[in-house]
Amino acid sequence: MSLKTFTLNNGQTIPSLGFGTWELDKEEICVPAVAQALETGYRVIDTAARYMNEAFVGKALAESGLKREHYHLTTKVWVTDFGYEQTLRAFDKSLKKLGLEYVDLYLLHWPVEGFRRSWKALEKLQDEGLTKAIGVCNFEIDHLEALAASSNSKPVLNQVETHPLFQQRTLFEYMTEQEILLEAWSPLGRGDATLLTNPVLLEIAKAHGKDVGQIILRWHLQRGSLAIPRSSKPSRVESNFQIYDFALTDQQMASITALDTNQRSAGDPKDPEWIAKLMSMPIPD
Ligand SMILES: NC(=O)c1ccc[n+]([C@@H]2O[C@H](COP(=O)([O-])OP(=O)(O)OC[C@H]3O[C@@H](n4cnc5c(N)ncnc54)[C@H](OP(=O)(O)O)[C@@H]3O)[C@@H](O)[C@H]2O)c1
């Protein structure tokens, strides 16, 4: 099946659905899950130094037999490795663990102190062809503005928590104006029951003969954002990919938009306690 793609602000394209690997940190779970995702047709794989599974992701990629140019690998620099030299060293470690010669996208994981210096390192890595594109995660509008004020380059995307109960509408509008793609993390709300058993979503699912996960992922796609759902269950890895054979009506899209509660379920990038917690979690060697 050919995947619809999004065009990034640097002219590159990226498939419109990806596979997340957070918490797939055991080899016997991660390798088969990524292998199955690749077999199913996912061509964007999202990892991070923090997930401590880059070696397993790299193993699954190597064993897939796919040509390097036929998939898109994202990894991220962790907050305790921010700073110019530290970020370059962290990237080198990630690349070795992945067993790759380059990555497709390298992201700043959270907007903590020092992100501008790390961004300079990302620019250098991009200039050297070691990453094809660079971007950020969990940036609010003022972080994006601060980055723009101190740099001539723009993130191609910003990976942020987004799902029907937390739609990031103001940020999304700003990023659309700035031509920065929204990549949705926790696109299924981490499997939260209040989302997956929501009556509005259940009714839409019934009308299309689909499950709620597929309806949510189709909503992300039609909205113009790249979702990276994660699953360790083969049947869900497969079903979450089956979103290209139907379309939500304008009315159904509007009904889902009306579900927004504007309540995030995970860490707030503006919360100093949350940031302090992240900074207290260096990655062991
Ligand atoms: N940049 C960041 O700061 C950041 C933060 C968080 C996540 N991420 C990235 O975003 C990816 C996705 O986010 P996420 O892993 O937090 O959450 P998610 O993809 O929204 O949800 C994953 C959870 O939902 C369950 N699930 C998957 N498909 C389902 C379906 N069709 N029906 C019901 N339950 C389903 C999974 O359980 P089973 O395994 O049992 O199927 C898992 O517990 C991550 O894996 C990671 O790559 C990035």
Side-chain angles (χ1 to χ4, degrees), residues 222-241:
Q222 284 185 221
R223 194 180 188 227
S225 55
L226 195 178
I228 46 170
R230 160 191 48 120
S231 179
S232 55
K233 297 211 165 47
S235 61
R236 287 174 174 168
V237 174
E238 166 69 29
S239 67
N240 287 344
F241 194 72

Side-chain angles (χ1 to χ4, degrees), residues 175-202:
M175 284 168 48
T176 304
E177 276 166 20
Q178 297 292 318
E179 299 181 321
I180 298 170
L181 181 68
L182 189 153
E183 183 168 36
W185 65 251
S186 294
L188 299 169
R190 297 204 172 148
D192 178 67
T194 50
L195 179 60
L196 291 164
T197 59
N198 180 284
V200 172
L201 296 173
L202 282 169

Side-chain angles (χ1 to χ4, degrees), residues 19-23 46-47 51 76 109-110 137-138 159 184-191 196 211 213-214 228-233 236 239-240:
F19 186 71
T21 66
W22 178 58
E23 286 191 329
D46 182 78
T47 181
Y51 303 167
K76 315 180 188 95
H109 209 143
W110 285 87
C137 306
N138 302 302
Q159 191 182 105
W185 65 251
S186 294
L188 299 169
R190 297 204 172 148
L196 291 164
D211 64 35
Q214 292 164 328
I228 46 170
R230 160 191 48 120
S231 179
S232 55
K233 297 211 165 47
R236 287 174 174 168
S239 67
N240 287 344

Side-chain angles (χ1 to χ4, degrees), residues 10 36 43 62 88 133-134 137 152 158 189 225 235-236 264 283:
N10 64 2
Q36 202 217 334
R43 290 293 177 267
L88 294 178
I134 55 180
C137 306
N152 293 325
N158 183 14
S225 55
S235 61
R236 287 174 174 168
R264 60 176 86 239
I283 299 176

Side-chain angles (χ1 to χ4, degrees), residues 37-95:
L38 293 169
E39 194 156 315
T40 302
Y42 295 80
R43 290 293 177 267
V44 173
I45 305 294
D46 182 78
T47 181
R50 177 77 244 164
Y51 303 167
M52 293 185 266
N53 63 6
E54 287 169 310
F56 310 145
V57 170
K59 185 174 182 201
L61 290 168
E63 290 176 357
S64 72
L66 283 170
K67 285 193 181 155
R68 178 63 189 89
E69 62 273 26
H70 288 167
Y71 62 83
H72 196 285
L73 189 278
T74 302
T75 194
K76 315 180 188 95
V77 54
W78 184 239
V79 293
T80 52
D81 286 320
F82 276 21
Y84 186 78
E85 295 297 338
Q86 297 93 315
T87 296
L88 294 178
R89 278 198 295 276
F91 178 81
D92 193 48
K93 281 191 202 165
S94 285
L95 206 57

Side-chain angles (χ1 to χ4, degrees), residues 14-27:
I14 188 167
S16 57
L17 183 69
F19 186 71
T21 66
W22 178 58
E23 286 191 329
L24 303 181
D25 52 5
K26 294 199 172 47
E27 181 168 2

